[in-house]
Amino acid sequence: SSRHGLGKHKSRPDLPSAAMGRLSRALLIASPLLAWAAGESDAKVLSNLRRGATDQVAVTAAAASERLGGAAVGAAPDVGGVGGERRLAEAVDPACAVTGFWEIELKDMGIKVVARMWKASKDLGMFQFVGRGQCKDQNDRTYASLYTESGVSLDACKAACEDSAPCLAFEVTDLGACFLRCSVDDFPPEEPRNWLEEWGDDASGSIHGVTLPFDRYCYRKLDEDAGNPVKGSNGGYWRVMWFPKEETTFYKQEVSTKEAPLEVGSAQPQDFPDCLRNGATVAASAPFASGLQVIWGLREMFVWAGVPSAKSKDHTWRRLNDTAAWDQTFDQTASRCPNAEDLTELDGQISWLNLALGGLGNCNAGNFLRLSPDTLQLDEGGWKQVVYESFRYGGEVFVRRMLFKRYQAVADEACFRALVDMIWDQRVQLTYAGINARLDASTCMTLVP
């Protein structure tokens, strides 16, 4: 059916040479959440990742290195660390200090959002990661598609969409299927030739989010003025992904997140004009994250941030070995940075415009706190901190990490999302033991041997 991205066949695909090639099995090794949908069980895949912290780092790094042409950072000597994490003795790019989840608050407006910053190993170019699942429009309809069933890499699928003017987005699966998504009015395009066709549910207009099935990733084309990817000084491409801080109507209506390129460098950005007029200047230290811009509701926000000046530059780095359990971008872009576990805040400026009031706005100095669902200990204290931080997606991150610790993997993504919603609704009353009890009773997961 079209809901599963497989419509009636026009002909068997004759792949163009640019799209040929084998997808590395490393995708399945490093993809504990999606392999079940790609033809191999989570249990089998995750069992390859449950061989101790040293083996986990080695396997993940080797897989990513094979998948991304040697771009991944290798395993480091173990110099401490608990809970499936490793402190590093290796040299680390100082720019990695801004990696993580950061709370950004418009204090006068009562608006809180979270920016996750990371350095990807692949250049997404003028495409934006929408989410795990099939692309959909604002009316929850699925798009028509030219597609191939296997053997196409992310780069080849992206290139095919770039070369096709009607292509609004592309999807890739772990087994190398490629879908070029188009509005029904522009379908079928002339290129690429001899690919299979499926007509979807008459979707049109821009990509709004994702829907079933969850065995794929959706990337949409950006407008030409949306910004260019910025390559880091030590390789990689910086990205930012925006989340609502707390449970809101927006969160329930908008499945996808907002994601965009990001610039990280050593030069402090210029003060925003309104901040300069207000005297809200900031003295921070490198690295600096800039180019953070997002429209949230009726407000457009602009942010830059750096390390507090008084903070030591000798960070304590920790590589997190269960990231693949929750990071939707892990398979395709494989973050290159460990976390600076001693850095708990960033300093910077936040400027905003009220789009409903003709662009009136203001600017203030900001203190952006780190949120820690990806680094907290998996115990009662860790869960209390998740509840205190009140970050909806952070709760999901924490629960997915619990599954990894429990030798479990998601077998039904829709079922699991409903389970997470229930846990979050009851978060104040629930204990860590209570969450484990609900995971014990759930049929959404499968056990890893």
Side-chain angles (χ1 to χ4, degrees), residues 17-341:
S17 58
M20 291 297 290
R22 296 182 60 84
L23 187 71
S24 169
R25 291 292 294 173
L27 282 172
L28 291 181
I29 296 174
S31 179
L33 293 177
L34 299 177
W36 66 272
E40 187 168 329
S41 70
D42 263 357
K44 181 176 180 181
V45 172
L46 276 182
S47 66
N48 292 328
L49 297 176
R50 304 298 327 193
R51 297 173 181 169
T54 301
D55 287 345
Q56 288 173 30
V57 174
V59 168
T60 304
S65 180
E66 177 183 353
R67 181 172 73 249
L68 303 173
V73 177
D78 190 358
V79 292
V82 294
E85 304 168 354
R86 296 171 60 81
R87 292 185 177 89
L88 304 185
E90 67 188 42
V92 176
D93 178 5
C96 289
V98 300
T99 296
F101 293 95
W102 305 96
E103 177 183 308
I104 298 175
E105 181 180 5
L106 283 178
K107 295 181 180 179
D108 295 342
M109 306 293 178
I111 297 175
K112 294 181 180 180
V113 297
V114 175
R116 183 212 170 192
M117 296 187 281
W118 82 103
K119 186 165 68 170
S121 296
K122 270 198 178 296
D123 176 12
L124 296 180
M126 296 307 295
F127 285 89
Q128 179 185 60
F129 176 75
V130 179
R132 184 175 55 232
Q134 182 173 343
C135 306
K136 69 174 184 178
D137 70 3
Q138 61 181 356
N139 296 311
D140 293 332
R141 298 176 301 190
T142 57
Y143 292 84
S145 176
L146 292 181
Y147 72 97
T148 65
E149 294 177 313
S150 63
V152 182
S153 68
L154 180 145
D155 285 340
C157 192
K158 177 168 75 75
C161 188
E162 288 174 335
D163 293 340
S164 176
C167 182
L168 299 174
F170 71 91
E171 299 162 13
V172 289
T173 72
D174 284 345
L175 289 183
C178 170
F179 301 85
L180 308 184
R181 297 298 183 183
C182 307
S183 289
V184 65
D185 295 336
D186 298 323
F187 190 79
E190 294 182 1
E191 298 289 343
R193 299 179 183 277
N194 300 321
W195 284 34
L196 301 175
E197 293 181 6
E198 61 103 5
W199 286 82
D201 294 336
D202 297 330
S204 61
S206 61
I207 309 298
H208 183 70
V210 292
T211 186
L212 294 169
F214 294 111
D215 64 339
R216 62 198 62 198
Y217 307 88
C218 171
Y219 296 84
R220 62 184 164 205
K221 272 183 181 175
L222 294 172
D223 296 332
E224 292 183 0
D225 60 352
N228 295 311
V230 180
K231 188 169 185 178
S233 59
N234 293 316
Y237 297 83
W238 283 96
R239 312 291 295 185
V240 59
M241 187 175 292
W242 300 88
F243 299 86
K245 170 65 164 54
E246 300 173 344
E247 183 176 4
T248 62
T249 302
F250 173 87
Y251 188 91
K252 289 185 175 297
Q253 291 179 348
E254 179 62 68
V255 175
S256 66
T257 56
K258 298 173 181 287
E259 188 256 9
L262 171 70
E263 184 172 358
V264 177
S266 58
Q268 179 165 333
Q270 292 184 346
D271 291 318
F272 293 127
D274 284 346
C275 273
L276 196 58
R277 285 192 292 270
N278 295 340
T281 59
V282 175
S285 301
F288 296 96
S290 60
L292 288 89
Q293 177 180 354
V294 65
I295 294 176
W296 205 267
L298 295 176
R299 292 169 180 83
E300 185 171 14
M301 294 182 284
F302 308 85
V303 181
W304 68 261
V307 175
S309 295
K311 187 66 182 176
S312 170
K313 304 304 181 291
D314 296 325
H315 299 298
T316 302
W317 300 102
R318 174 172 288 179
R319 189 176 301 284
L320 309 172
N321 298 323
D322 56 5
T323 303
W326 60 266
D327 185 0
Q328 296 183 39
T329 69
F330 186 87
D331 286 325
Q332 304 301 330
T333 59
S335 176
R336 300 161 71 98
C337 282
N339 276 36
E341 63 175 0

Side-chain angles (χ1 to χ4, degrees), residues 389-407:
E389 291 179 353
S390 193
F391 175 29
R392 167 63 178 76
Y393 181 64
E396 179 177 335
V397 169
F398 192 86
V399 174
R400 287 187 184 273
R401 292 178 60 217
M402 288 179 65
L403 294 185
F404 188 87
K405 182 180 179 180
R406 288 165 51 93
Y407 292 75

